[in-house]
Amino acid sequence: MSASITFFPVGCGDMTLVRLADSNATAVLVDVNIRTAADDPDDATRDVAGDLRERLPRDAQGRPYVDAFLLSHPDKDHCSGLETHFHLGPLSDYPDDKKPDTEKKIVIREIWSSPLVFRRASKHHTLCSDAKAFNREAKRRVQRFRDGIGNADGERILILGEDENGKTDDLGAILVRAGEYFNRINGNANAYFQAHLLAPLPCQDDDDVELLSKNHSSTILNMQLASSALRPDSCRFLTGGDAEVAIWEHVWARHKHTPDVLAYDVLQAPHHCSWHSLSYDSWSQLGEKAKVAPDARAALGQARFGAFVVASSKPIKDDDADPPCIRAKREYQEILSSASGMFLCTGEHPKSWAPEPLEIEITAAGARKKAARSSAVASVAAAAAPRAG
Ligand SMILES: [Zn+2]
């Protein structure tokens, strides 16, 4: 099976599944946004939980699972549906073995969590129930690790970024520091994957803490995905949750002499294609007078040839909304023009009135967009139809 990245149409929110090219087709899910309407069969909202489940592997007990689940940051549009659709708590308490496949909760073999991102998020707003549930589960797993009993499927956790005041200093074996690379997924080194942890970055002072907290501090990873064992760097997938302008400026300051660190074939446009990831100015107030922050643009501008920028958002209109913001889309299109790349939006794929999961396949030649299933079905039907005359 080839490696792939699937972006689900979840409105302004993120839910992205990475499948690797290894024999297990290792599954890494970044964020989840399964809204109540998407679970309602009488509502027209796309059944993204169904779309996700049909793409997930089943374990020996027939339970659907992800090898790893990363929560980029604990906002509602990145963790909605977690309690409803995922099993949290010890795997020995898994309750759904007698239920039909479609009703079984999804097992998270390993959690990827950033306590520093949580700390910054909770400074400015109250966490929703799904975010609190994630945090409880992450803490449970850390405690298991500290007790020496955390090394099993459904119990593992990887901590992304060191926390403040030495709180993560004793977590050596499960801690990835900002700037480090890792290739371990669910306890095993994976030759088809490597990720570079670009953020959260530790702060220099209190002003820094305040600034980064207000800029939707998120975990930023640049993943290197192999198309085969011989081609480890077939695709770079840069994903950074809702990180805004000050964070991308910090990232650029740290890596501007080695910009390849930020090179991508697929970029998830931060914060659902928000203008605030590229600028300090307000798009709705200043319109075309709003200025781009050059360092943030440089951090997000390292597109490799044929790259895709994907806005995980509702359809982008030519108005003063933000996010998604038409001016941000134009900026990404300009970045892509010199790389012969393509801008895509989950809410518009293939049609804004009937969005479907957007799938990027990783081949030896790089990343390529797969045709939407409805258009594939339509072309098969057209080919099969008897010709007139
Ligand atoms: Zn968001």
Side-chain angles (χ1 to χ4, degrees), residues 12-14 73 75-78 216 241-242 271-272:
C12 276
D14 283 358
H73 68 296
D75 279 0
K76 196 173 168 44
D77 56 321
H78 296 255
H216 293 261
D242 286 359
H271 201 181
H272 327 297

